[in-house]
């Protein structure tokens, strides 16, 4: 009876390790190559397991993608509404560590991505960034706060997507804090813009 309990615990640990390995592999691959260009086989190979296990642990590629985006979002340290400059700096540091924009940014920027995945990514960005920024800008009396917030987030997404590409050498070489301050100043300027009359 004790052997069954030990075997059961061992299977649970193996199961948890397999699920974590698949999720880590998906975050890396989706973050580097986007949703469409990554196959279940690619994820399985990166995780060191059979790609068919994705169906067992996540249900589908789309569900695994959503889990990868959610996990990626949980690792964001700063609150964007409280301090857009710090949020931006940390986001850039994360891109620098992985040398890729990440699954959320990749999905938003690739028109060929699965439509449901793009809608989910847009909803995620709206909830995590655009909504809080819109509320902050509204409280500060900004003109057209939602457009301002969407524009700020689009600028941040562009920085996150282009920085690891090396196509813009100054952007790639800039210190994350410098870029955070710059986008933070843009956010402050948006709040200071008077409403249209």
């Amino acid at each position: 009876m004790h052997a069954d309990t030990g075997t059961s615990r061992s299977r649970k640990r193996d199961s948890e390790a397999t699920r974590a390995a698949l999720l880590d592999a998906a975050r890396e691959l989706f973050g580097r190559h986007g949703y469409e260009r990554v196959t279940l086989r690619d994820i399985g190979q990166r995780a060191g397991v059979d790609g068919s296990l994705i169906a067992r642990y996540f249900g589908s590629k789309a569900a695994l993608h959503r889990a990868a985006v959610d996990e990626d979002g949980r690792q964001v340290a700063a609150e964007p509404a409280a301090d857009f400059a710090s949020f931006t700096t940390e986001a850039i540091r994360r891109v620098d560590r992985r040398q890729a924009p990440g699954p959320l940014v990749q999905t938003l920027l690739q028109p060929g991505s699965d439509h449901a995945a793009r809608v989910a990514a847009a909803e995620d960005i709206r909830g995590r960034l655009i909504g809080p920024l819109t509320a902050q800008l509204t409280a500060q009396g900004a003109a057209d706060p939602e457009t301002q917030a969407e524009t700020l987030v689009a600028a941040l997404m562009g920085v996150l997507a282009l920085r690891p590409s090396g196509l813009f050498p100054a952007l790639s070489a800039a210190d994350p804090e410098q870029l955070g301050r710059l986008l933070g100043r843009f956010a402050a300027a948006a709040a200071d813009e008077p409403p249209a009359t």
Side-chain angles (χ1 to χ4, degrees), residues 62-129:
L64 174 57
H65 179 264
R66 185 71 190 146
V69 169
D70 287 347
E71 180 63 25
D72 209 48
R74 274 192 283 280
Q75 296 189 359
V76 174
E79 286 294 323
D83 184 359
F84 191 68
S86 294
F87 179 86
T88 297
T89 299
E90 182 55 30
I92 292 167
R93 284 186 185 135
R94 290 173 63 227
V95 164
D96 288 353
R97 282 191 296 273
R98 68 175 139 213
Q99 291 297 298
L104 181 70
V105 174
Q106 284 285 11
T107 300
L108 286 170
L109 296 179
Q110 291 186 349
S113 290
D114 176 80
H115 180 71
R118 289 189 83 206
V119 168
E123 288 172 2
D124 189 68
I125 247 351
R126 184 162 294 288
R128 289 183 200 274
L129 291 172

Side-chain angles (χ1 to χ4, degrees), residues 10 16 26-27 30 37 40 42 54 65 69 75-76 79 91 98 101 104 109 125 139 142 155 161 165 183 188 192:
S10 176
E16 289 169 0
R27 284 180 60 214
F30 288 142
R37 294 184 356 211
L40 299 180
D42 295 334
I54 290 168
H65 179 264
V69 169
Q75 296 189 359
V76 174
E79 286 294 323
R98 68 175 139 213
L104 181 70
L109 296 179
I125 247 351
S165 74
L183 286 173
D192 290 340

Side-chain angles (χ1 to χ4, degrees), residues 6-163:
T7 302
S8 175
R9 285 187 188 139
S10 176
R11 279 191 203 132
K12 183 175 180 182
R13 277 194 303 272
D14 289 347
S15 177
E16 289 169 0
T18 299
R19 186 181 192 287
L22 286 167
L23 186 57
D24 288 346
R27 284 180 60 214
E28 180 182 343
L29 292 172
F30 288 142
R32 192 167 297 281
H33 305 293
Y35 181 81
E36 288 297 317
R37 294 184 356 211
V38 174
T39 67
L40 299 180
R41 173 178 269 172
D42 295 334
I43 295 167
Q45 285 177 339
R46 179 62 56 102
V49 299
D50 189 322
S52 66
L53 289 174
I54 290 168
R56 176 178 175 190
Y57 290 102
F58 295 94
S60 66
K61 178 182 173 182
L64 174 57
H65 179 264
R66 185 71 190 146
V69 169
D70 287 347
E71 180 63 25
D72 209 48
R74 274 192 283 280
Q75 296 189 359
V76 174
E79 286 294 323
D83 184 359
F84 191 68
S86 294
F87 179 86
T88 297
T89 299
E90 182 55 30
I92 292 167
R93 284 186 185 135
R94 290 173 63 227
V95 164
D96 288 353
R97 282 191 296 273
R98 68 175 139 213
Q99 291 297 298
L104 181 70
V105 174
Q106 284 285 11
T107 300
L108 286 170
L109 296 179
Q110 291 186 349
S113 290
D114 176 80
H115 180 71
R118 289 189 83 206
V119 168
E123 288 172 2
D124 189 68
I125 247 351
R126 184 162 294 288
R128 289 183 200 274
L129 291 172
I130 295 170
L133 280 171
T134 298
Q136 179 185 7
L137 292 168
T138 299
Q140 294 171 344
D144 197 1
E146 187 171 14
T147 300
Q148 300 271 7
E150 287 182 1
T151 302
L152 287 166
V153 170
L156 174 58
M157 294 296 128
V159 167
L160 297 178
L162 291 171
R163 183 171 168 87

